[in-house]
């Protein structure tokens, strides 16, 4: 498995502000993923974070809104910019381990008021 | 494009009875299939996967799943349900495993399993 931590675990933010979520993994990984889980819904992939290159965003997600950093092989950040209530979600990071198994962090629960 | 369908929003089972949570998928290539469980206020936990080989795969907590290529299904099963199995279950698919864009998972909408005494 993998030990993945996220900070903060939850936050309540005001409309128009930004929040940066941190994801730390216990060992080096090539790729990290960021997902969003809106209330009562499934998980949707936001982007793939590669070390040393730009993140790859999925359809419907843009870098200006969700900038991602990947400074090394164990750490990544996702920023939710200019937040609106529609951004209220759980944000999760994940990594792929051996044998194709993907493991998720505990998530960051964001509420935008 | 790949997709996953979980036709049941909720499944209710009495403790000790067998349970089945249904999942069907659609991919253009060979499917790599996964089940995850999400307990309240906790992250997503990996249960089991099908990559290749035996159609019946066994995973954590006594769960198993059967891959059926002709029916494009990957139903989750457990012979005897426990109250502690009550949680939200997600089926997910990718077209190939490993690193790279092929590791992108597409999730179903989730099925809430309620096990009662």
């Amino acid at each position: 498995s993998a030990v993945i931590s996220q900070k903060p675990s939850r936050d309540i933010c005001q409309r128009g502000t930004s929040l940066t979520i941190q994801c730390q993994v216990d060992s080096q990984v090539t790729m990290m993923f960021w997902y969003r889980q809106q209330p009562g819904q499934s998980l949707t992939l936001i982007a793939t974070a590669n070390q040393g290159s730009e993140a790859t965003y999925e359809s419907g997600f843009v870098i200006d809104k969700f900038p991602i950093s990947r400074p090394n092989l164990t750490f990544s950040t996702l920023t939710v910019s200019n937040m609106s209530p529609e951004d209220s979600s759980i944000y999760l990071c994940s990594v792929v381990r051996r044998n194709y198994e993907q493991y998720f962090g505990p998530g960051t629960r964001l509420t935008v008021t | 494009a790949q997709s996953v369908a979980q036709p049941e929003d909720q499944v209710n089972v009495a403790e000790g009875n067998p349970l089945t949570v249904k999942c069907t998928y659609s991919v253009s290539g060979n499917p790599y299939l996964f089940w995850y469980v999400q307990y309240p206020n906790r992250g997503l936990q990996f249960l089991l996967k099908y990559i290749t080989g035996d159609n019946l795969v066994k995973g954590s907590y006594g769960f198993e799943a059967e891959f059926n290529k002709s029916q494009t299904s990957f139903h989750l099963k457990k012979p005897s349900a426990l109250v502690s199995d009550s949680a939200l279950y997600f089926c997910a698919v990718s077209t190939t495993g490993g690193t790279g864009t092929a590791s992108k998972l597409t999730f179903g909408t989730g099925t809430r399993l309620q096990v009662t005494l």
Side-chain angles (χ1 to χ4, degrees):
Chain A
S1 62
V3 177
I4 306 172
S5 61
Q6 286 185 232
K7 290 181 181 180
S9 59
R10 58 177 62 223
D11 207 341
I12 301 173
C13 301
Q14 289 192 341
R15 182 195 302 259
T17 62
S18 298
L19 176 71
T20 295
I21 302 168
Q22 300 178 6
C23 179
Q24 180 75 52
V25 188
D26 64 338
S27 61
Q28 294 182 345
V29 292
T30 303
M31 303 182 72
M32 296 174 74
F33 303 88
W34 286 98
Y35 288 83
R36 180 176 73 181
Q37 185 178 21
Q38 292 179 301
Q41 297 191 29
S42 187
L43 284 80
T44 302
L45 181 64
I46 298 172
T48 303
N50 306 307
Q51 196 272 333
S53 63
E54 293 285 333
T56 303
Y57 289 83
E58 297 300 303
S59 175
F61 298 96
V62 295
I63 188 171
D64 290 347
K65 176 68 176 177
F66 297 101
I68 288 171
S69 77
R70 184 78 198 277
N72 57 55
L73 291 174
T74 63
F75 186 79
S76 178
T77 67
L78 169 76
T79 299
V80 186
S81 304
N82 189 24
M83 288 184 285
S84 67
E86 293 71 34
D87 294 320
S88 297
S89 296
I90 300 174
Y91 292 85
L92 302 100
C93 64
S94 72
V95 301
V96 176
R97 284 301 201 198
R98 59 175 178 82
N99 297 331
Y100 317 120
E101 296 171 10
Q102 190 162 147
Y103 293 92
F104 289 80
T108 296
R109 185 179 295 271
L110 171 63
T111 302
V112 184
T113 61
Chain B
Q2 57 197 41
S3 64
V4 176
Q6 293 182 244
E8 303 154 318
D9 290 336
Q10 181 156 328
V11 170
N12 298 308
V13 178
E15 187 173 59
N17 284 359
L19 69 88
T20 298
V21 182
K22 295 180 181 178
C23 171
T24 59
Y25 65 89
S26 175
V27 296
S28 57
N30 291 323
Y32 287 12
L33 295 154
F34 306 83
W35 276 101
Y36 288 84
V37 59
Q38 187 174 41
Y39 296 99
N41 299 315
R42 292 172 63 179
L44 219 59
Q45 295 182 28
F46 172 84
L47 269 182
L48 52 77
K49 68 178 185 289
Y50 172 82
I51 304 298
T52 186
D54 288 342
N55 290 341
L56 184 65
V57 294
K58 296 186 183 297
S60 306
Y61 312 122
F63 284 93
E64 58 189 29
E66 185 167 13
F67 170 65
N68 188 316
K69 187 174 183 178
S70 63
Q71 296 185 4
T72 62
S73 67
F74 189 57
H75 300 331
L76 181 70
K77 300 180 180 183
K78 187 173 182 181
S80 179
L82 299 172
V83 171
S84 57
D85 293 329
S86 299
L88 187 58
Y89 291 81
F90 289 99
C91 181
V93 67
S94 67
T95 53
T96 57
T99 58
T101 57
S103 295
K104 293 191 299 184
L105 292 177
T106 298
F107 283 84
T109 51
T111 298
R112 188 165 300 281
L113 174 65
Q114 187 69 45
V115 182
T116 53
L117 291 171

